mmCIF file of all heavy atoms in Angstrom:
data_model
loop_
_atom_site.group_PDB
_atom_site.id
_atom_site.type_symbol
_atom_site.label_atom_id
_atom_site.label_comp_id
_atom_site.label_asym_id
_atom_site.label_seq_id
_atom_site.Cartn_x
_atom_site.Cartn_y
_atom_site.Cartn_z
ATOM 1 N N ILE C 199 -16.513 -3.496 -5.233
ATOM 2 C CA ILE C 199 -17.328 -3.774 -4.067
ATOM 3 C C ILE C 199 -16.414 -3.953 -2.853
ATOM 4 O O ILE C 199 -15.301 -4.458 -2.977
ATOM 5 C CB ILE C 199 -18.203 -5.029 -4.280
ATOM 6 C CG1 ILE C 199 -17.341 -6.226 -4.664
ATOM 7 C CG2 ILE C 199 -19.277 -4.773 -5.302
ATOM 8 C CD1 ILE C 199 -18.116 -7.511 -4.800
ATOM 9 N N VAL C 200 -16.903 -3.498 -1.705
ATOM 10 C CA VAL C 200 -16.115 -3.577 -0.473
ATOM 11 C C VAL C 200 -16.462 -4.870 0.249
ATOM 12 O O VAL C 200 -17.614 -5.087 0.628
ATOM 13 C CB VAL C 200 -16.405 -2.362 0.428
ATOM 14 C CG1 VAL C 200 -15.598 -2.458 1.721
ATOM 15 C CG2 VAL C 200 -16.071 -1.066 -0.310
ATOM 16 N N THR C 201 -15.491 -5.721 0.419
ATOM 17 C CA THR C 201 -15.679 -6.986 1.129
ATOM 18 C C THR C 201 -14.485 -7.213 2.045
ATOM 19 O O THR C 201 -13.439 -6.583 1.877
ATOM 20 C CB THR C 201 -15.791 -8.184 0.164
ATOM 21 O OG1 THR C 201 -14.484 -8.491 -0.329
ATOM 22 C CG2 THR C 201 -16.686 -7.861 -1.019
ATOM 23 N N PRO C 202 -14.583 -8.144 2.986
ATOM 24 C CA PRO C 202 -13.413 -8.452 3.829
ATOM 25 C C PRO C 202 -12.230 -8.992 3.037
ATOM 26 O O PRO C 202 -11.105 -8.988 3.530
ATOM 27 C CB PRO C 202 -13.960 -9.511 4.803
ATOM 28 C CG PRO C 202 -15.424 -9.251 4.865
ATOM 29 C CD PRO C 202 -15.800 -8.814 3.483
ATOM 30 N N ASP C 203 -12.492 -9.475 1.801
ATOM 31 C CA ASP C 203 -11.413 -10.062 1.002
ATOM 32 C C ASP C 203 -10.843 -9.099 -0.036
ATOM 33 O O ASP C 203 -10.015 -9.503 -0.856
ATOM 34 C CB ASP C 203 -11.926 -11.319 0.290
ATOM 35 C CG ASP C 203 -12.322 -12.411 1.280
ATOM 36 O OD1 ASP C 203 -11.568 -12.613 2.245
ATOM 37 O OD2 ASP C 203 -13.383 -13.032 1.091
ATOM 38 N N MET C 204 -11.284 -7.836 -0.020
ATOM 39 C CA MET C 204 -10.797 -6.913 -1.050
ATOM 40 C C MET C 204 -9.305 -6.617 -0.892
ATOM 41 O O MET C 204 -8.669 -6.111 -1.808
ATOM 42 C CB MET C 204 -11.595 -5.599 -1.010
ATOM 43 C CG MET C 204 -11.365 -4.764 0.233
ATOM 44 S SD MET C 204 -12.186 -3.139 0.144
ATOM 45 C CE MET C 204 -11.054 -2.255 -0.940
ATOM 46 N N GLY C 205 -8.750 -6.943 0.272
ATOM 47 C CA GLY C 205 -7.331 -6.702 0.492
ATOM 48 C C GLY C 205 -6.438 -7.500 -0.433
ATOM 49 O O GLY C 205 -5.247 -7.190 -0.564
ATOM 50 N N VAL C 206 -7.015 -8.518 -1.105
ATOM 51 C CA VAL C 206 -6.198 -9.310 -2.035
ATOM 52 C C VAL C 206 -5.686 -8.433 -3.168
ATOM 53 O O VAL C 206 -4.634 -8.723 -3.765
ATOM 54 C CB VAL C 206 -7.038 -10.495 -2.580
ATOM 55 C CG1 VAL C 206 -8.130 -10.010 -3.520
ATOM 56 C CG2 VAL C 206 -6.132 -11.513 -3.256
ATOM 57 N N ILE C 207 -6.384 -7.333 -3.437
ATOM 58 C CA ILE C 207 -5.908 -6.409 -4.477
ATOM 59 C C ILE C 207 -4.592 -5.774 -4.048
ATOM 60 O O ILE C 207 -3.790 -5.363 -4.881
ATOM 61 C CB ILE C 207 -6.992 -5.349 -4.770
ATOM 62 C CG1 ILE C 207 -8.224 -6.033 -5.355
ATOM 63 C CG2 ILE C 207 -6.484 -4.282 -5.726
ATOM 64 C CD1 ILE C 207 -9.371 -5.104 -5.650
ATOM 65 N N GLY C 208 -4.376 -5.717 -2.733
ATOM 66 C CA GLY C 208 -3.105 -5.194 -2.249
ATOM 67 C C GLY C 208 -1.920 -6.002 -2.733
ATOM 68 O O GLY C 208 -0.787 -5.503 -2.761
ATOM 69 N N ASN C 209 -2.176 -7.267 -3.122
ATOM 70 C CA ASN C 209 -1.077 -8.076 -3.660
ATOM 71 C C ASN C 209 -0.493 -7.452 -4.920
ATOM 72 O O ASN C 209 0.683 -7.646 -5.232
ATOM 73 C CB ASN C 209 -1.563 -9.502 -3.958
ATOM 74 C CG ASN C 209 -1.942 -10.250 -2.690
ATOM 75 O OD1 ASN C 209 -1.485 -9.896 -1.603
ATOM 76 N ND2 ASN C 209 -2.770 -11.276 -2.818
ATOM 77 N N LYS C 210 -1.350 -6.725 -5.661
ATOM 78 C CA LYS C 210 -0.827 -6.039 -6.860
ATOM 79 C C LYS C 210 0.178 -4.970 -6.449
ATOM 80 O O LYS C 210 1.126 -4.681 -7.185
ATOM 81 C CB LYS C 210 -1.990 -5.414 -7.637
ATOM 82 C CG LYS C 210 -2.913 -6.414 -8.310
ATOM 83 C CD LYS C 210 -2.225 -7.073 -9.489
ATOM 84 C CE LYS C 210 -3.162 -8.015 -10.234
ATOM 85 N NZ LYS C 210 -4.217 -7.300 -10.946
ATOM 86 N N GLY C 211 -0.047 -4.345 -5.282
ATOM 87 C CA GLY C 211 0.934 -3.383 -4.792
ATOM 88 C C GLY C 211 2.266 -4.059 -4.487
ATOM 89 O O GLY C 211 3.336 -3.495 -4.733
ATOM 90 N N PHE C 212 2.199 -5.278 -3.964
ATOM 91 C CA PHE C 212 3.414 -6.056 -3.694
ATOM 92 C C PHE C 212 4.151 -6.351 -4.996
ATOM 93 O O PHE C 212 5.374 -6.182 -5.095
ATOM 94 C CB PHE C 212 3.032 -7.345 -2.968
ATOM 95 C CG PHE C 212 4.175 -8.268 -2.676
ATOM 96 C CD1 PHE C 212 5.252 -7.841 -1.916
ATOM 97 C CD2 PHE C 212 4.179 -9.560 -3.166
ATOM 98 C CE1 PHE C 212 6.311 -8.692 -1.638
ATOM 99 C CE2 PHE C 212 5.218 -10.422 -2.896
ATOM 100 C CZ PHE C 212 6.298 -9.982 -2.135
ATOM 101 N N ILE C 213 3.386 -6.765 -6.016
ATOM 102 C CA ILE C 213 3.990 -7.037 -7.327
ATOM 103 C C ILE C 213 4.600 -5.763 -7.903
ATOM 104 O O ILE C 213 5.699 -5.768 -8.464
ATOM 105 C CB ILE C 213 2.924 -7.612 -8.288
ATOM 106 C CG1 ILE C 213 2.457 -8.976 -7.784
ATOM 107 C CG2 ILE C 213 3.464 -7.709 -9.708
ATOM 108 C CD1 ILE C 213 1.279 -9.539 -8.552
ATOM 109 N N ALA C 214 3.872 -4.643 -7.730
ATOM 110 C CA ALA C 214 4.375 -3.365 -8.254
ATOM 111 C C ALA C 214 5.685 -2.978 -7.583
ATOM 112 O O ALA C 214 6.609 -2.471 -8.236
ATOM 113 C CB ALA C 214 3.328 -2.275 -8.039
ATOM 114 N N ALA C 215 5.774 -3.220 -6.269
ATOM 115 C CA ALA C 215 7.000 -2.886 -5.548
ATOM 116 C C ALA C 215 8.172 -3.739 -6.041
ATOM 117 O O ALA C 215 9.297 -3.252 -6.186
ATOM 118 C CB ALA C 215 6.798 -3.082 -4.047
ATOM 119 N N ILE C 216 7.915 -5.023 -6.307
ATOM 120 C CA ILE C 216 8.969 -5.894 -6.854
ATOM 121 C C ILE C 216 9.361 -5.416 -8.243
ATOM 122 O O ILE C 216 10.542 -5.343 -8.596
ATOM 123 C CB ILE C 216 8.481 -7.358 -6.906
ATOM 124 C CG1 ILE C 216 8.197 -7.876 -5.499
ATOM 125 C CG2 ILE C 216 9.520 -8.232 -7.591
ATOM 126 C CD1 ILE C 216 7.591 -9.270 -5.488
ATOM 127 N N LEU C 217 8.353 -5.074 -9.043
ATOM 128 C CA LEU C 217 8.597 -4.642 -10.416
ATOM 129 C C LEU C 217 9.459 -3.380 -10.441
ATOM 130 O O LEU C 217 10.431 -3.283 -11.196
ATOM 131 C CB LEU C 217 7.260 -4.387 -11.109
ATOM 132 C CG LEU C 217 7.273 -4.163 -12.627
ATOM 133 C CD1 LEU C 217 7.743 -5.411 -13.355
ATOM 134 C CD2 LEU C 217 5.870 -3.773 -13.099
#
Side-chain angles (χ1 to χ4, degrees):
I199 55 176
V200 179
T201 76
D203 296 317
M204 68 174 283
V206 70
I207 296 178
N209 294 338
K210 291 289 184 69
F212 178 58
I213 295 172
I216 297 175
L217 191 64

